[in-house]
């Protein structure tokens, strides 16, 4: 299996989004300019976790067989294969935009999920929005390829609010990082 | 195989959610595969940001969650979609108010350095900017800590001053200059409580003997407090903490446990108008606290809302005995506050503890139970939409 | 109506409990020695509230007609005519003893309730136990003769944790103060 | 008349409550009026105090409430009555442990001076004395903030030292001298996490490569960390965070997602025993993470409990596919940890997320769902009693 070139991830993340993405993405871009641009990857642990995610090829899990690509407010949306928490899409945000009143953490853990529309595995950054109280809408617990906490780079129980003003967990995003293979 | 059944239920639920999402114009992500076409393009990487907040819209409701277990927090729900729009952190027992720009949120709250112990800090926290983020705090000399009460915190109608009721246990009102972000004065109001701002810098408080305290300020910023006459009988039929007051016009409706509405034009010399009865407005006898009479009575947690433009008073009403002023309403009564006539009696789907009405030309009526928000048409009583909420404490809508 | 002699209240409260009270009372006495003895009445506001309670003779309320004297874990127990909150009796304490992990506030508001067994009206101090998180058992909201918050001496919405180490509300007791008449 | 119906319902409920109270031997207050006798004596005034706390009893369960909305807190429930006995404040994301005296409770927790912001303070809070009151805090250099994990905090078996796992995000173990109430050392454990004390002052941690880190200390208090061999395949079948370890004997059972039990005698040089399969102990094929196999698997939040005196391992089991290690258990399997045999399969009334067993001669088994605690007989599987609880995070019983 080809290992992911993590050094290109930062560059990829700073690239403009393709034009075909929606109006909501335009809002997200604006949001990203208003807060500090997500510094990614920053920590050595993040390189390790991206490598992990690429290594554990997510073929044929129970989740991936039932996943859908239409509704980002449902727990079985394809990107949420490893999400644990409240979907930001149900809290006034989106899959890559925190609701007003919260801030995206620059750190996250990384999983990989299969998109049923193209059968490709993508790296997904499960990034927490921090600062407001727990949103309590659309609580999902998907654990595909989630690792124990002693392997934190792939663990969804850590509160990933390092680097923000607050450790108060509000909701979780599923930001598309790139192809896993 | 329970697992299979569970998955099927999830799939069905997601179809439902999809229909709702589509109906509300939510963005639907799909990389639909063109039949027989080339492989779909690889999805592009995304950046993470914060959804901008352009200000509270006329149909948005802001509510704080009830204290105790949920431990505070403020949430904004769009009445047009019944969806959560934004959330702001707060301590438990917080109060809050929007600046006239509808973008700046002030939160009156109390923290201890070690959760329930350590050093106490009473602050007015400021949220705003493009993403409703924290913009600092103003330290307060003290605050009342109690179950939610609307009139423990308010702004002057121009948004220049904040007024925070303090009880330590000596009662006082802290006046905060929101331009300089400093406490301007601490005004003692012995024997009185709560704060109802009027005019440019004045405020009134309700007093334990049935009178009002009226505070006015001179050019040097010095406050003088005077008492009015007693206008209600506090031992037998006190006016409720959760009466309504329109800060813009200075018109207050102080409503008693028995449903007597005392209209008062707040001013340096308040004008007391003749009291009228909610029950008489409905063609019934006036309620009384004597003899265990079972009749329709106002009650709940925030039982009244006032729509200035149409002079309409909304009241949560229930059938009950005396001293049942905290029982939730099975009906919302819509009253004309000028003619003292009952216009409508609307059923609510579940007994409601709080009521609110928007101030715009096409108003929405909100009824809140312990766990549901019902969005209603104030003119037809129709339930337009609903959403589950955390137990609500206080509500605020945009003033116009 | 005879006004209560509030200056005697303090003395009455420091008196030993009558021998016929239960084992639980012995525990409560012990508890009282372990914490600071409840200083009552301390504040001017407390004299006012006792006077209030004695004044508003609680005859013939809906609550008093349905009240019982057997079960101190039920909302309709006679002493709870004006209680708002969680019964300490359901939280590891009793009507006059805080659960371990919490402390009794020296301040309280005072109501008066009729005991159906002797048809007498008694003054009841609704005293909060503070320090632990809200107990969340046996939540009652009885409002006989409860006054608005601008008359705090008879208000059950104030968090009566003045004078303790913590303002965290845990539960409410209904301590028998004496006869109201 | 809804009111009447409501009152009737309340009366019925109170009769029920009375019966329960009587059955449980609760104190019943009554000033029963003697028929035809003189007027009953006037009730005497009472003093207010605190119910004494004489230490955790062998049948009492301590649980922390789940984080997020309920915001922490620790509660003690008596397994013999299913009643709440005491409550201790904590921050959210706290962990806790009882001293060997069963009277002193240590709480590892984190506060910010302004709730969600301000200055962070990581502390080990001490509760004890006759009423389980706060006895101060020891400041910690840092902590992991995560969903509840049993093995982020533990005491040495003699109660002299506390071990707190820190992740900032560099992993370390803070060693606290509980006699002097000072931090004794901060031991870095690169690539590893969690803490399993053994012996007088040693501890082990699980490592991301499938090995253990073993820390031992010299006479000067300096810790040395060494790695053992890799004993499990972390990418394909990692051992769970919520494995069980008996601090007294140093015997740990590290259980994998697929149900392989790795018994390890913790020591300076750990002894790794041959792994055995929960499923094979039940006469089934061993579970595998390949091919989407649906079989019985361990899962939940705290899925294992160990009873040292009878060498019994209790496991929450569900039928599910690979990666379902957080699904709650529909059954509790009782296994002999020496013979590797399944002794019983007990149904639980509602799928359970946590399991615990008391350490005394007449043990009780506890199964915890999201909102119920079920007290069971470990030998018959009978449900003895139940009570509603707040969503549980972690559980601890008295060690013997």
């Amino acid at each position: 299996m080809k290992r992911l070139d993590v050094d290109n991830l930062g560059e990829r993340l700073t690239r403009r989004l393709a034009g075909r993405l929606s109006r909501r993405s335009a809002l997200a871009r604006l949001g990203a300019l208003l807060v500090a641009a997500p510094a990614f990857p920053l920590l050595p642990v993040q390189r390790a976790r991206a490598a992990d995610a690429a290594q554990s090829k997510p073929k044929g899990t129970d989740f991936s067989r039932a996943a859908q690509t239409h509704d980002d407010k449902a727990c079985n949306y394809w990107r949420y294969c490893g999400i644990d928490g409240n979907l930001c899409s149900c809290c006034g945000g989106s899959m890559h935009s925190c609701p007003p009143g919260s801030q995206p953490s620059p750190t996250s853990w990384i999983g990989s999920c299969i998109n049923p529309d193209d059968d490709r595995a993508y790296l997904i950054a499960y990034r927490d929005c921090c600062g407001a109280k727990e949103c309590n809408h659309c609580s999902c617990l998907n654990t595909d390829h989630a690792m124990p906490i002693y392997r934190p780079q792939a663990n969804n129980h850590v509160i990933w609010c390092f680097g923000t003003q607050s450790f108060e967990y509000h909701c979780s995003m599923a930001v598309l990082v790139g192809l896993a293979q | 195989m329970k697992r299979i059944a569970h998955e099927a239920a999830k799939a069905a639920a997601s179809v439902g959610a999809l229909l709702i999402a589509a109906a509300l114009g939510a963005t639907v992500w799909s990389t639909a595969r063109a039949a027989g076409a080339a492989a779909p393009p690889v999805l592009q990487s995304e950046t993470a940001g914060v959804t901008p907040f352009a200000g509270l819209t006329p149909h948005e409701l802001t509510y704080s969650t009830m204290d105790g277990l949920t431990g505070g927090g403020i949430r904004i729900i769009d009445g047009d979609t019944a969806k959560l729009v934004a959330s702001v952190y707060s301590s438990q027992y917080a109060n809050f108010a929007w600046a006239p720009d509808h973008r700046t949120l002030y939160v009156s709250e109390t923290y201890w350095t070690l959760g329930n112990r350590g050093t106490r800090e009473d602050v007015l926290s400021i949220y705003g900017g493009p993403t409703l983020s924290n913009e600092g705090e103003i330290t307060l000399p003290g605050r009342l800590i109690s179950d939610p009460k609307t009139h423990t915190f308010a702004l002057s109608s121009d948004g220049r001053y904040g007024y925070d009721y303090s009880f330590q246990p000596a009662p006082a009102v802290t006046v905060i200059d929101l331009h300089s972000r400093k406490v301007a004065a601490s005004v003692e109001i012995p024997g009185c409580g709560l704060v109802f701002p009027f005019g440019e810098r004045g405020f009134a408080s309700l007093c334990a003997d049935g009178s009002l305290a009226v505070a006015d300020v001179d050019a040097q910023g010095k406050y003088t407090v005077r008492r009015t006459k007693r206008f209600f009988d506090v031992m037998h039929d006190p006016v409720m903490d959760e009466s309504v007051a329109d800060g813009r016009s200075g018109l207050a409706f102080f409503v008693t446990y028995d449903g007597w509405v005392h209209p008062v034009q707040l001013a340096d010399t308040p004008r007391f108008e003749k009291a009228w009865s909610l029950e008489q407005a409905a063609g019934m006898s006036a309620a009384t606290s004597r003899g265990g009479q079972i009749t329709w009575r106002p009650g709940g947690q925030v039982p009244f809302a006032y729509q200035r433009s149409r002079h309409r008073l909304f009241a949560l009403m229930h059938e009950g005995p005396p001293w049942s002023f905290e029982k939730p309403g099975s009906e919302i009564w819509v009253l004309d506050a000028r003619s003292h006539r009952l216009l409508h009696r609307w059923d609510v789907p579940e007994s409601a503890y709080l009521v609110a009405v928007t101030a715009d030309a096409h108003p929405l009526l909100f009824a809140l139970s312990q766990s549901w928000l019902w969005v209603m048409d104030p003119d037809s009583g129709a339930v337009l939409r609903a959403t589950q909420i955390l137990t609500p404490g206080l509500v605020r809508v945009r003033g116009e």
Side-chain angles (χ1 to χ4, degrees), chain A, chain B:
Chain A
M1 191 190 310
K2 183 182 174 293
R3 281 179 72 96
L4 181 79
D5 182 357
V6 290
D7 289 322
N8 283 334
L9 278 177
E11 189 195 320
R12 244 194 277 177
L13 274 171
T14 53
R15 255 189 294 155
R16 283 275 166 184
L17 298 176
R20 72 179 176 74
L21 290 182
S22 71
R23 184 177 59 82
R24 185 169 291 205
S25 297
L27 298 182
R29 271 205 303 277
L30 178 58
L33 294 176
L34 298 172
V35 300
F40 185 94
L42 264 185
L43 305 165
V45 76
Q46 284 188 298
R47 299 187 183 210
R49 81 181 61 128
D52 260 20
Q55 218 173 71
S56 57
K57 204 176 160 193
K59 282 290 176 211
T61 69
D62 212 52
F63 179 93
S64 71
R65 280 186 292 273
Q68 47 82 22
T69 59
H70 324 290
D71 178 13
D72 69 349
K73 293 181 170 66
C75 289
N76 69 340
Y77 184 75
W78 72 275
R79 289 195 197 186
Y80 300 149
C81 73
I83 212 163
D84 174 16
N86 305 121
L87 306 180
C88 291
S89 296
C90 299
C91 305
S94 73
M95 284 184 298
H96 51 82
S97 185
C98 289
S102 64
Q103 298 90 39
S105 167
T107 61
S108 66
W109 78 277
I110 291 187
S112 55
C113 304
I114 294 171
N115 177 357
D117 284 343
D118 64 9
D119 275 333
R120 294 186 180 111
Y122 289 89
L123 292 182
I124 306 293
Y126 296 108
R127 195 168 280 220
D128 289 347
C129 295
C130 309
K133 301 242 176 196
E134 184 166 349
C135 157
N136 208 36
H137 285 278
C138 300
S139 180
C140 301
L141 178 56
N142 296 327
T143 51
D144 267 16
H145 303 275
M147 284 282 133
I149 210 159
Y150 57 83
R151 195 173 179 92
Q153 58 267 38
N155 179 272
N156 59 14
H157 286 169
V158 171
I159 305 297
W160 284 108
C161 288
F162 299 97
T164 57
Q165 292 174 330
S166 175
F167 251 81
E168 190 75 25
Y169 170 77
H170 184 55
C171 64
S172 298
M173 299 182 285
V175 183
L176 201 145
V177 173
L179 275 181
Q181 297 127 322
Chain B
M1 302 288 282
K2 280 176 195 160
R3 188 189 58 83
I4 300 301
H6 180 62
E7 286 302 326
K10 264 174 49 175
S14 84
V15 170
L18 176 63
L19 293 175
I20 292 163
L24 300 174
T27 305
V28 174
W29 291 78
S30 177
T31 56
R33 199 192 294 240
V42 171
L43 298 183
Q44 296 299 299
S45 65
E46 299 163 346
T47 53
V50 184
T51 303
F53 179 73
L56 194 73
T57 70
H59 278 183
E60 283 174 351
L61 177 80
T62 314
Y63 82 96
S64 59
T65 64
M66 189 63 167
D67 314 305
L69 279 181
T70 58
I74 297 167
R75 285 151 189 260
I76 303 173
I77 291 179
D78 184 351
D80 289 330
T81 62
K83 296 283 175 202
L84 185 61
V85 169
S87 300
V88 171
Y89 189 89
S90 83
S91 79
Q92 56 182 346
Y93 308 120
N95 199 339
F96 61 96
W98 288 96
D101 67 3
H102 318 306
R103 290 167 176 267
T104 308
L105 179 71
Y106 295 100
V107 182
S108 166
E109 52 183 351
T110 302
Y111 294 101
W112 277 261
T113 48
L114 286 173
N116 71 335
R117 60 196 188 278
T119 307
R120 175 173 173 171
E121 191 146 7
D122 300 294
V123 291
L124 187 66
S125 302
I126 304 164
Y127 289 84
T131 62
L132 202 52
S133 57
N134 180 278
E135 299 190 329
E137 294 88 21
I138 303 167
T139 299
L140 301 178
R143 282 182 68 240
L144 166 72
I145 294 182
S146 79
D147 289 339
K149 297 283 170 188
T150 301
H151 304 293
T152 56
F153 179 61
L155 305 188
S156 62
S157 63
D158 62 2
R160 173 72 196 271
Y161 294 99
Y163 303 92
D164 194 80
Y165 174 52
S166 175
F167 178 76
Q168 304 264 74
V173 170
T174 306
V175 183
I176 306 121
D177 183 331
L178 298 172
H179 283 200
S180 68
R181 296 196 174 180
K182 285 198 171 66
V183 170
S186 181
V187 184
E188 289 189 15
I189 49 168
C192 307
L194 304 177
V195 58
F196 301 88
F198 65 83
E200 276 190 22
R201 297 183 69 179
F203 69 83
S205 295
L206 281 163
C207 299
D209 64 356
S211 69
L212 281 180
V214 180
D216 202 15
V217 62
D218 65 17
Q220 281 70 48
K222 194 175 144 43
Y223 277 85
T224 315
V225 179
R226 281 165 296 114
R227 289 284 188 96
T228 68
K229 65 167 187 177
R230 300 182 183 192
F231 69 103
F232 63 93
D233 177 351
V234 75
M235 289 310 289
H236 293 104
D237 191 25
V239 304
M240 297 193 190
D241 293 324
E242 291 295 326
S243 294
V244 281
D246 173 33
R248 186 77 59 92
S249 65
L251 181 59
F253 296 98
F254 294 112
V255 189
T256 71
Y257 287 11
D258 283 346
W260 288 94
V261 182
H262 294 267
V264 180
Q265 183 61 53
L266 299 175
D268 290 355
T269 306
R271 196 172 69 243
F272 295 91
E273 292 174 20
K274 192 171 175 338
W276 54 280
S277 153
L278 295 175
E279 291 80 4
Q280 286 181 343
M284 305 170 180
S285 339
T288 164
S289 56
R290 288 165 231 274
Q293 179 204 27
I294 308 292
T295 185
W296 285 91
R297 298 172 183 274
Q301 195 173 309
V302 178
F304 306 107
Y306 180 60
Q307 187 186 12
R308 189 201 316 131
S309 61
R310 297 203 288 176
H311 313 280
R312 293 209 173 155
L313 184 65
F314 297 83
L316 293 179
M317 303 293 290
H318 67 280
E319 275 190 291
W323 302 105
S324 64
F325 60 98
E326 297 194 15
K327 287 236 165 90
S330 56
E331 295 186 1
I332 297 175
W333 288 15
V334 188
L335 300 122
D336 186 314
R338 286 185 300 187
S339 68
H340 310 168
R341 279 193 315 116
L342 176 72
L343 302 175
H344 306 290
R345 291 173 63 164
W346 304 137
D347 280 329
V348 283
E350 195 176 42
S351 282
Y353 284 85
L354 299 90
V355 65
V357 64
T358 67
D360 60 317
H362 304 284
L364 295 177
L365 179 65
F366 297 105
L368 295 86
S369 72
Q370 301 269 40
S371 53
W372 283 92
L373 166 67
W374 311 95
V375 184
M376 299 172 65
D377 179 337
D379 294 319
S380 73
V383 175
L384 304 175
R385 53 197 75 88
T387 185
Q388 272 202 293
I389 52 173
L390 295 171
T391 309
L394 295 174
V395 281
R396 306 269 186 188
V397 293
R398 175 168 150 161
E400 297 293 340

